[in-house]
Each structure stands twice: as structure tokens, then as C-alpha cells.
Amino acid sequence: FQMDKTPESYLDLFPLEAIVYLTPDSENVLEDIDPSKVYVLGGLVDESIHKQLTLRRAREQRLQTARLPIREFMVRAPNARNYHCETLAINQVFDVLSTFYETRSWPAALRAGVSSGKGYVLPDAADQ
């Protein structure tokens, strides 16, 4: 993958209608990757998770939003802490997106990027 670094904002580089801001709080499920779109992986460097912050930011910027289809393809795994979280690190989101782009399979993509420590597993793994 080619990456460019720039001090410019994605808002200045791309048309608003081409931008999809990925946030776990979106009500829209990402079903496919559209090569004509620009996907923004929002990130927070913080010890705590600020619910709805990335969704609010995207709405303020009037951007489309989407979330990964974790709930649609994965199940909550029983665990001692009863911990389940759909918020992923940027590298995990990137792994999911790049694997989906290569395989066109959400189960394969989610297996690649969502660690079991998040409390979600694919249904076939839950049976084991």
C-alpha cells in the first residue's frame, strides 16, 4: 500500500461526498469497499474510550459514516470479565479493511483484525 503524509486535512484534499468516516458508533454498516471513496480511520490516543466522539466529529464535518460489520458476522464470546468491545486500534481496522479488500470475505477480514481479547469471535470459533 502506498501512503502519503501531508499536513493538509482530508477535508481539503477530497470532496465531502467521497469521504466515509469509520467509527464504531455509526448506525451504518460497511458492506463493501468502494474504490471511489476515501475511508478515514479516526484515532484517539488516550487511556479511555470517548463514546460517540468520532461520530460527533464526522457529523460536525457532514461526512458519511460507517462501522465494521462486527455485530453482523461475530458473536459475543463468554469471558470472565463479560467484556465486549467493538472499538479497534487503527492497525486492526487497517488489517480488517485490507484483508476484506483482498479476500472479499468479512469473516476472513474480521478474523485477521479483531483479536479475541475484544470479546467477539466468529460463530465457528464460539462452538469450540
Side-chain angles (χ1 to χ4, degrees):
F1 295 97
Q2 179 181 347
M3 300 176 113
D4 293 320
K5 184 178 175 183
T6 178
E8 295 175 86
S9 169
Y10 53 86
L11 297 171
D12 298 327
L13 295 172
F14 305 102
L16 290 182
E17 61 274 5
I19 300 172
V20 179
Y21 199 108
L22 298 178
T23 170
D25 300 313
S26 179
E27 59 278 351
N28 305 313
V29 179
L30 183 64
E31 295 178 9
D32 199 3
I33 295 175
D34 180 347
S36 70
K37 299 287 186 183
V38 174
Y39 295 90
V40 175
L41 284 58
L44 302 173
V45 179
D46 199 304
E47 291 297 318
S48 62
I49 296 170
H50 299 280
K51 287 301 281 178
Q52 306 285 320
L53 180 64
T54 53
L55 182 61
R56 281 195 309 271
R57 180 177 296 152
R59 285 181 175 161
E60 288 167 2
Q61 297 170 343
R62 293 180 302 250
L63 301 174
Q64 300 172 65
T65 64
R67 64 174 173 79
L68 296 176
I70 294 171
R71 286 178 238 157
E72 288 70 22
F73 288 92
M74 302 185 91
V75 296
R76 289 178 172 222
N79 60 63
R81 298 181 327 186
N82 194 29
Y83 177 77
H84 302 91
C85 181
E86 295 179 46
T87 302
L88 305 178
I90 289 176
N91 62 306
Q92 292 171 312
V93 175
F94 184 83
D95 288 345
V96 170
L97 293 175
S98 61
T99 301
F100 178 77
Y101 191 77
E102 291 171 10
T103 66
R104 310 308 291 173
S105 165
W106 281 118
L110 294 167
R111 181 178 289 116
V114 180
S115 70
S116 60
K118 292 291 181 177
Y120 285 91
V121 295
L122 292 167
D124 59 342
D127 296 336
Q128 298 173 2

